[in-house]
Amino acid sequence: MSIKPFHALREKASLFIRRHRITTALVVALFLLSLPYVLTSAYHLRVATLVGIYVLLVSGLNVIIGFTGMFSLGHAAFYGIGAYTSAMLTTMAGWNFWLALPVAGIVAGAFGTLIGLATLRLRRVFLAFTTLGFGEIIRILILNLRSFTRGPMGISGIPIPRILGWTFTGRGYYYLILVLATVTVATIYRMYHSRVGRALIAIREDETAASSMGINVFGYKVLAFTVGCFFAGIAGSYFAHFQRYISAESFANLESFAIITMLALGGTGSIIGPILGSTILVLIPEIFRFLMQYRGVIYGLTLIVVIVYRPGGLANVKGVFEKPKPPKRPGKGRFSFGRRRTVVIPGETV
């Protein structure tokens, strides 16, 4: 079956959205705002909220992998740092959620800065292994620092957010994550289309060329890593107060693998990609509940298929999984000056 009709349909849809941006934005906003009243089931509303959490996580990782070309395999560690920071501040120190939320993001971002300063001079594969090891270190620390994290028992009784005397319910949680996800996507969109975003893309394409143009490669890498970890910390803080119970198992390396798979499926380096990937890979396991025990297998197969057959993801953009084009060999191009050839023209010989 030919895929050309699907490409044509995608191009028409993209053209329509570009021509009617305001109308499209209003329709999407109206749909998202009315969703809690359409999804009357508390379970369905919870799934929609989980989609929003992963949009934050995958969008933050997109800054690291999609924009800058760095491979981080331990993103769940910063997710866990944000969750445990917020949980400990609110349960042990008596902080308010609204104070703990930004502090959790800042703490996760600070850890990202420290890891970046120590490791971002490494090449891709070594950086990936380093972040993978850091994720395992954080999990072990959570299990062993019992006086702070309560070890394998986790932290329970995390307070529900309140605002002006109103306690959050299912709809309140949904609208809060909708605001957080919207702010995150808008911030990353502005970053992508700014001087910083252009510098990050230049680094992704060719570090040597970017450096020769005066771009501080190491500084921008650290910045991208910090920003991505900050949004992971924000997502972790929200998750802790949404779940009201956290443990080390929620932030294992399998979670990092899931986040990377969502990014690859949606499309690295695109704004819409994290939204598409998060939505699909959160909904599919929930729809096919009998396959939940094969969740890791599904993520692995998805990642393999995307990298081999659709490296641009659903957004079909050039990202880090695109295969580099081999250089043209001398004498094989349209205009070649490698060897003299005899060109026969009717009526004469040159």
Side-chain angles (χ1 to χ4, degrees):
M1 181 179 177
S2 175
I3 61 173
K4 290 184 178 180
F6 296 100
H7 285 295
L9 181 62
R10 187 179 64 83
E11 291 296 330
K12 289 181 180 180
S14 178
L15 180 62
F16 176 84
I17 292 174
R18 286 197 298 268
R19 288 181 176 178
H20 306 85
R21 291 182 179 179
I22 297 178
T23 304
T24 304
L26 290 175
V27 170
V28 172
L30 182 62
F31 170 76
L32 293 176
L33 290 173
S34 61
L35 194 59
Y37 298 94
V38 177
L39 302 176
T40 55
S41 169
Y43 167 74
H44 293 151
L45 192 57
R46 178 182 177 81
V47 172
T49 305
L50 287 176
V51 171
I53 294 174
Y54 280 102
V55 168
L56 261 71
L57 287 168
V58 180
S59 296
L61 186 62
N62 192 31
V63 176
I64 299 172
I65 296 181
F67 292 0
T68 321
M70 301 180 291
F71 279 88
S72 173
L73 301 181
H75 204 59
F78 304 99
Y79 181 35
I81 288 172
Y84 270 89
T85 299
S86 187
M88 288 188 292
L89 287 176
T90 53
T91 58
M92 300 178 185
W95 282 37
N96 186 286
F97 164 75
W98 303 105
L99 292 177
L101 177 69
V103 170
I106 292 171
V107 171
F111 271 92
T113 302
L114 294 175
I115 295 299
L117 291 173
T119 63
L120 289 184
R121 295 190 188 276
L122 300 174
R123 291 296 178 182
R124 290 186 176 184
V125 63
F126 301 107
L127 174 63
F129 287 146
T130 302
T131 54
L132 182 65
F134 176 74
E136 187 63 17
I137 289 171
I138 292 298
R139 190 184 71 86
I140 293 173
L141 287 176
I142 291 174
L143 290 174
N144 287 278
L145 295 177
R146 297 172 182 264
S147 58
F148 295 100
T149 63
R150 298 187 63 192
M153 294 185 297
I155 300 178
S156 59
I158 302 172
I160 300 174
R162 297 172 60 89
I163 184 170
L164 300 177
W166 179 67
T167 303
F168 275 54
T169 57
R171 289 179 180 174
Y173 277 118
Y174 170 81
Y175 284 123
L176 177 57
I177 195 60
L178 180 61
V179 171
L180 293 175
T182 302
V183 171
T184 299
V185 173
T187 302
I188 293 176
Y189 175 84
R190 292 299 303 164
M191 181 181 180
Y192 180 79
H193 291 281
S194 68
R195 179 176 59 86
V196 174
R198 290 190 291 271
L200 296 179
I201 298 300
I203 293 170
R204 183 191 72 185
E205 296 300 322
D206 193 325
E207 287 188 23
T208 305
S211 180
S212 67
M213 291 188 296
I215 296 175
N216 184 353
V217 174
F218 181 71
Y220 276 109
K221 279 186 172 183
V222 173
L223 175 63
F225 210 83
T226 302
V227 170
C229 295
F230 171 81
F231 286 120
I234 294 293
S237 174
Y238 175 89
F239 173 78
H241 292 269
F242 172 68
Q243 191 80 358
R244 302 198 65 204
Y245 169 79
I246 55 174
S247 65
E249 298 305 316
S250 300
F251 314 105
N253 284 325
L254 179 60
E255 191 70 12
S256 295
F257 185 58
I259 299 168
I260 293 173
T261 306
M262 292 175 185
L263 178 59
L265 178 62
T268 58
S270 69
I271 303 299
I272 193 69
I275 301 174
L276 296 175
S278 302
T279 303
I280 292 173
L281 286 185
V282 169
L283 291 181
I284 286 179
E286 296 298 332
I287 294 173
F288 301 99
R289 295 287 297 181
F290 61 93
L291 296 176
M292 184 61 71
Q293 59 181 328
Y294 303 107
R295 182 177 173 224
V297 177
I298 294 173
Y299 287 156
L301 291 175
T302 302
L303 190 60
I304 292 172
V305 170
V306 168
I307 292 176
V308 174
Y309 297 104
R310 188 77 174 186
L314 296 175
N316 196 28
V317 295
K318 182 181 179 182
V320 295
F321 297 121
E322 288 283 354
K323 298 178 181 178
K325 295 181 179 179
K328 292 184 178 180
R329 296 175 58 188
K332 298 296 182 180
R334 183 177 178 183
F335 300 101
S336 174
F337 301 97
R339 288 187 304 176
R340 292 189 61 187
R341 296 183 181 183
T342 301
V343 181
V344 180
I345 301 176
E348 59 178 309
T349 302
V350 179

